[in-house]
Amino acid sequence: MSVISKETQRLLATGSTLRDMFEEGKRLAKQYGRENIYDFSLGNPNTPVPEELNDAIRQVLDEYDSLTLHGYMSNPGFEDTRQAIADNLNERFGTNFAGKNICMTVGAANAIVIALKILLDPGDEVAVFAPFFLEYRNYISNFCGVTTVVPPNPPTFMPDMDALRNTITEKTKAIIINTPNNPTGVVYDEQTIRNIAAVLEECQEKYGHPIFLISDEPYRELIYDGLEYPFLTKYYANTMICYSFSKCLSIPGERIGYLLVPDEAAESQDILASTANAIRAVGCVNAPSLQQKAIMKVLNARSDTHIYDRNRQLLVSILHEAGFEVANPQGAFYVFVKTPVPDDKEFVSYAKDNYRIIISSGAAFDCPGYIRMAYCVEYAMIEKAKDSIIKLGKDYGLN
Ligand code: PLP
């Protein structure tokens, strides 16, 4: 009998398809040379970190006594950082938050885990829209919660309200939405947000208890075509925002984000008080202190999203020329492509073995029949991949 828990054994057996493809890309790069493979597998930001942030980090090191800077703090984070974020949101979105509405976290991942730690009893359900970031399943099962899946809604991948209504049961404690979306790149418009809020209000009424809207927003600032993404607390009171600076500042390794709970949410003050226990209970204690002090100085700084936008336009035009059907990507740095055969894993292997194109299977997002391409890559690589992508489409009779 193994000492490893059954849940961890299950994770070991299923592995991470995304990480496996990333490792495969590295192996092929060694074998054929990096310039001869087209690796679209991983969502690792590749636009430069804004110089203001590097300056801010240097300033922070000079400004603070090092024991104070690097020491323990209140679990939800430095008060001045939380207040600066609240002020910045209020200025940008006309909201009315205070520092106390925010708990600094170890990225968006930790913010979601803290939210679930606070909300879930064993057996409680959390609904997610397929395709979705598969880590959600792990986050939910940490607390013996049950993931329920709203089926995908191709070709737009906008949430379908009847499907949402049918997925919510009396056991549903929360739903998670993620827009701009990984893996589709789709951005929900304001009407869609209003519709989701209306369904949740209706289900709260029906089942007689709050249902939280957990909004996973690491890609909030990566939006194209002049779109704007509204601030969700304005539409639905029982909202928890899980934000991250990983993508907008190109610093995923630094692990900094926050959880925001508005005063209007049910039991908001108890939830906010619980963040201190929750962040300790999941073993993080507090968000990285140096980063808290640095990001508060540069809350309007952004990595150059034009670089992603340019990549997006080129890749989508190549995919169209090759004959592929693509969901309209208006945010994040992913495109979701329908595979010409039902077995997306077979298609992923074919693209890798014949053209050294490394892509992720849709099955890794609970949506077989599709693949994801991450375009946070060199523009020149996309240009170079063009002929291979066109030939790949031709092999399947698409052009
Ligand atoms: N949610 C989604 C949809 C993501 O794609 C990611 C990271 O890629 C995360 C959450 C985790 O974000 P962070 O690394 O900031 O914790």
Side-chain angles (χ1 to χ4, degrees):
M1 199 175 113
S2 172
V3 292
I4 298 173
S5 72
K6 291 189 184 66
E7 172 66 2
T8 304
Q9 284 184 45
R10 184 188 65 77
L11 290 177
L12 205 61
T14 47
S16 163
T17 323
L18 298 183
R19 285 279 158 182
D20 291 351
M21 284 313 280
F22 177 62
E23 293 304 328
E24 183 66 359
K26 285 205 315 207
R27 192 186 65 74
L28 290 178
K30 244 189 214 156
Q31 192 175 347
Y32 296 104
R34 174 135 304 276
E35 65 289 358
N36 296 316
I37 63 153
Y38 310 115
D39 190 348
F40 295 97
S41 66
L42 208 63
N44 208 1
N46 78 323
T47 57
V49 174
E51 210 32 58
E52 300 109 285
L53 175 64
N54 290 329
D55 289 343
I57 291 172
R58 282 185 281 266
Q59 273 172 32
V60 168
L61 287 172
D62 290 339
E63 262 170 37
Y64 290 87
D65 157 66
S66 52
L67 286 179
T68 313
L69 176 62
H70 300 300
Y72 284 126
M73 69 190 77
S74 301
N75 302 119
F78 288 121
E79 271 176 30
D80 54 354
T81 303
R82 297 157 70 201
Q83 188 58 50
I85 291 173
D87 292 345
N88 180 268
L89 292 174
N90 296 341
E91 204 179 298
R92 288 165 62 203
F93 299 107
T95 46
N96 195 20
F97 301 121
K100 71 165 170 68
N101 295 109
I102 289 167
C103 170
M104 299 307 296
T105 61
V106 183
N110 183 225
I112 302 168
V113 168
I114 291 174
L116 296 172
K117 167 81 185 154
I118 293 171
L119 293 178
L120 295 189
D121 281 314
D124 283 345
E125 293 175 1
V126 180
V128 299
F129 291 91
F132 61 95
F133 183 54
L134 266 204
E135 299 292 353
Y136 294 157
R137 273 194 198 282
N138 300 330
Y139 302 160
I140 294 165
S141 73
N142 277 339
F143 309 108
C144 302
V146 177
T147 306
T148 55
V149 180
V150 185
N153 187 28
T156 64
F157 292 99
M158 284 289 180
D160 178 80
M161 295 309 139
D162 285 333
L164 173 61
R165 209 176 270 112
N166 292 337
T167 308
I168 292 177
T169 75
E170 62 183 353
K171 288 191 179 164
T172 304
K173 234 3 184 341
I175 74 166
I176 303 179
I177 66 167
N178 164 232
T179 167
N181 186 266
N182 175 13
T184 63
V186 165
V187 181
Y188 299 174
D189 57 18
E190 190 183 13
Q191 191 52 49
T192 302
I193 301 295
R194 284 186 195 283
N195 294 346
I196 292 174
V199 171
L200 292 179
E201 297 281 6
E202 178 193 313
C203 292
Q204 290 192 139
E205 184 77 25
K206 179 171 172 190
Y207 295 117
H209 62 77
I211 300 175
F212 274 83
L213 173 62
I214 298 177
S215 178
D216 177 23
E217 306 191 353
Y219 303 99
R220 167 172 277 282
E221 291 7 298
L222 273 58
I223 294 198
Y224 318 110
D225 300 337
L227 291 187
E228 283 187 15
Y229 181 49
F231 208 77
L232 298 197
T233 53
K234 291 183 175 173
Y235 301 84
Y236 186 67
N238 290 332
T239 296
M240 292 180 165
I241 306 281
C242 300
Y243 185 80
S244 168
F245 294 92
S246 296
K247 314 286 160 139
C248 67
L249 295 174
S250 302
I251 52 167
E254 298 296 348
R255 314 303 306 132
I256 182 84
Y258 59 80
L259 171 67
L260 181 146
V261 183
D263 285 337
E264 302 75 50
E267 298 177 48
S268 59
Q269 302 315 305
D270 286 344
I271 291 177
L272 288 164
S274 302
T275 57
N277 289 320
I279 194 169
R280 280 201 316 276
V282 300
C284 292
V285 185
N286 58 252
S289 53
L290 173 59
Q291 292 306 329
Q292 288 195 45
K293 288 293 187 195
I295 54 111
M296 68 174 276
K297 290 178 180 291
V298 295
L299 287 171
N300 290 322
R302 302 278 179 271
S303 300
D304 186 355
T305 52
H306 294 106
I307 297 177
Y308 296 135
D309 192 12
R310 195 163 159 252
N311 287 357
R312 171 185 75 119
Q313 293 184 32
L314 177 62
L315 182 58
V316 170
S317 76
I318 293 172
L319 286 164
H320 282 156
E321 194 179 327
F324 288 101
E325 185 185 310
V326 176
N328 184 19
Q330 295 188 293
F333 35 50
Y334 308 106
V335 283
F336 208 51
V337 184
K338 191 169 175 13
T339 51
V341 284
D343 185 348
D344 49 297
K345 288 185 179 154
E346 174 202 308
F347 181 76
V348 166
S349 299
Y350 186 86
K352 173 171 72 67
D353 295 342
N354 293 280
Y355 296 104
R356 295 185 209 121
I357 298 175
I358 319 284
I359 47 186
S360 306
S361 136
F365 303 91
D366 231 23
C367 191
Y370 287 80
I371 54 102
R372 185 194 77 173
M373 297 177 85
Y375 55 80
C376 39
V377 297
E378 291 293 319
Y379 188 80
M381 188 193 90
I382 307 177
E383 279 180 319
K384 216 173 149 199
K386 179 173 178 176
D387 288 350
S388 298
I389 295 173
I390 307 257
K391 279 188 202 146
L392 179 62
K394 199 179 181 87
D395 291 353
Y396 285 93
L398 300 180
N399 67 69

